[in-house]
Amino acid sequence: MSSKGVIRFLKDWTLPVAIAVGTTVYLTFYFVPQLDNLGNRLGPVMDVIFPMMVFVTLFITFCKVDFHQMMPHRWHAGVLIAQLLLVAATVTAILCLPDSSTSSKLLLEAVLTCIIGPSAAAAPVVTGKLGGNISTMTTYVILSSVVSAILIPLVFPLLEQTVHVDFLSAFLIILQKVSTVLLLPLVLGWLVQHYWKALCSYILSVPNLSFYTWAISLSITTGITVKNIVHSAASLSLLLSIAAATLLLCFLQFAIGRGIGRRLGEEINAGQALFQKNTALSIWVAYMYLNPVASIGAGCYVLWQNIINSLELWQHRKSDEC
């Protein structure tokens, strides 16, 4: 393959390449003992780089946002109602399980973490690539984050009676985690749009910049996900069940979101809103308030959702070329 062909391939399949890179790099460090010391030194560095890359990605995206369009829409309510119904159905199923069904409970809790979490902070990036409305999608991400911050401390104590969750503390912690990554770049994007127009114009002149910075973040996320799976204490059968269940959930949430959007005139936005999740936050709340095995669900989900996003982007490019 020529150099142009390689570049074209990387552009067309950026997200799968990012997933492959993250997986390969982590497994290389895992299976080569000579790299242990280097891996131990790089771990804290990745912990710093990851939120910085997400911040930069969102800042670049929010430089494109039309803040006058950031108003609530009917599709916002439709998608939030669908999320609440899915949460209610999953919680009911967990509560109806007998005490002896430990594996089934862990499986459903893993699924729940992928439903109850807010829409991904980077969802506007992919939405913009698909031709959706970045501004209304950004509004939904903010609304979704507030709803999830309310739901999580209300719901999780029902599932794990041994864990005491103070509602106000959990609500504020979750909001703080979301706002640090989401609201700060949003405010900075607004300031640059209005008071540093030369920088804003330069950022907008670089095509797909936010998408490629997001791909770097995805590589790091994938490495962390593979690490969690490799070191999980869960049985292989449970891990496979969680992987299969979260794949089905991906398609289910995608289909429900698209169906709602089709009725309300925002098919792309609504599909991404319900389907694309803030898995980093979901993993954190699973570790904090549920069994750590449940975090594997969100780890698998991030891989599935980005593979589906890649197929969406490929289909969108093909339709543009026709």
Side-chain angles (χ1 to χ4, degrees):
M1 185 183 293
S2 67
S3 58
K4 289 184 178 179
V6 172
I7 293 172
R8 177 60 187 269
F9 176 82
L10 293 176
K11 285 183 177 180
D12 288 348
W13 299 102
T14 302
L15 298 184
V17 169
I19 292 172
V21 168
T23 301
T24 303
V25 169
Y26 174 74
L27 291 179
T28 300
F29 276 87
Y30 180 75
F31 286 112
V32 179
Q34 292 82 357
L35 297 176
D36 285 348
N37 289 334
L38 178 60
N40 293 333
R41 290 197 296 270
L42 287 178
V45 176
M46 292 297 104
D47 291 340
V48 174
I49 290 177
F50 176 67
M52 288 176 60
M53 292 305 303
V54 174
F55 186 97
V56 170
T57 299
L58 294 179
F59 164 65
I60 295 168
T61 302
F62 294 151
C63 285
K64 307 174 185 178
V65 166
D66 183 349
F67 289 89
H68 297 292
Q69 293 186 23
M70 287 186 61
M71 301 292 291
H73 287 253
R74 288 189 303 161
W75 72 265
H76 292 161
V79 173
L80 286 173
I81 290 170
Q83 181 186 15
L84 292 174
L85 292 175
L86 287 171
V87 168
T90 309
V91 170
T92 301
I94 294 173
L95 295 177
C96 289
L97 288 172
D99 293 337
S100 57
S101 301
T102 305
S103 295
S104 297
K105 182 179 181 182
L106 289 174
L107 175 61
L108 287 175
E109 286 185 350
V111 168
L112 178 63
T113 62
C114 303
I115 299 172
I116 202 169
S119 185
V125 178
V126 178
T127 301
K129 289 278 288 181
L130 292 170
N133 190 312
I134 296 177
S135 303
T136 57
M137 188 65 186
T138 301
T139 303
Y140 178 79
V141 172
I142 295 171
L143 292 173
S144 172
S145 299
V146 174
V147 170
S148 293
I150 295 171
L151 279 177
I152 289 168
L154 284 177
V155 168
F156 282 11
L158 299 175
L159 308 180
E160 296 290 339
Q161 301 294 336
T162 57
V163 177
H164 174 71
V165 180
D166 178 71
F167 174 82
L168 182 59
S169 297
F171 174 77
L172 293 176
I173 290 171
I174 294 168
L175 273 191
Q176 182 269 328
K177 283 183 171 290
V178 172
S179 62
T180 301
V181 176
L182 179 64
L183 295 184
L184 287 181
L186 183 65
V187 171
L188 188 58
W190 181 88
L191 291 172
V192 168
Q193 272 195 34
H194 289 80
Y195 300 106
W196 201 349
K197 295 185 179 181
L199 176 60
C200 186
S201 297
Y202 174 76
I203 290 171
L204 298 182
S205 70
V206 182
N208 299 318
L209 180 59
S210 61
F211 183 67
Y212 293 128
T213 55
W214 169 241
I216 296 172
S217 302
L218 177 59
S219 288
I220 299 172
T221 303
T222 302
I224 295 170
T225 297
V226 174
K227 175 184 177 182
N228 291 339
I229 292 173
V230 168
H231 292 279
S232 173
S235 64
L236 179 61
S237 60
L238 179 56
L239 289 175
L240 292 175
S241 297
I242 290 173
T246 50
L247 176 60
L248 291 174
L249 179 65
C250 256
F251 284 109
L252 176 64
Q253 294 194 122
F254 181 77
I256 292 173
R258 283 268 178 158
I260 292 170
R262 200 173 297 120
R263 284 180 168 273
L264 300 177
E266 289 282 359
E267 185 174 356
I268 294 174
N269 283 60
Q272 293 303 124
L274 187 60
F275 145 76
Q276 198 168 341
K277 294 293 186 178
N278 186 333
T279 51
L281 181 66
S282 297
I283 290 171
W284 177 79
V285 296
Y287 267 102
M288 284 293 295
Y289 304 123
L290 299 176
N291 191 303
V293 173
S295 67
I296 299 298
C300 293
Y301 194 94
V302 70
L303 302 180
W304 300 137
Q305 76 178 9
N306 282 288
I307 291 171
I308 293 173
N309 277 335
S310 298
L311 295 174
E312 281 188 284
L313 292 168
W314 174 80
Q315 187 178 38
H316 183 69
R317 283 193 304 271
K318 288 297 181 183
S319 63
D320 284 348
E321 292 171 0
C322 295

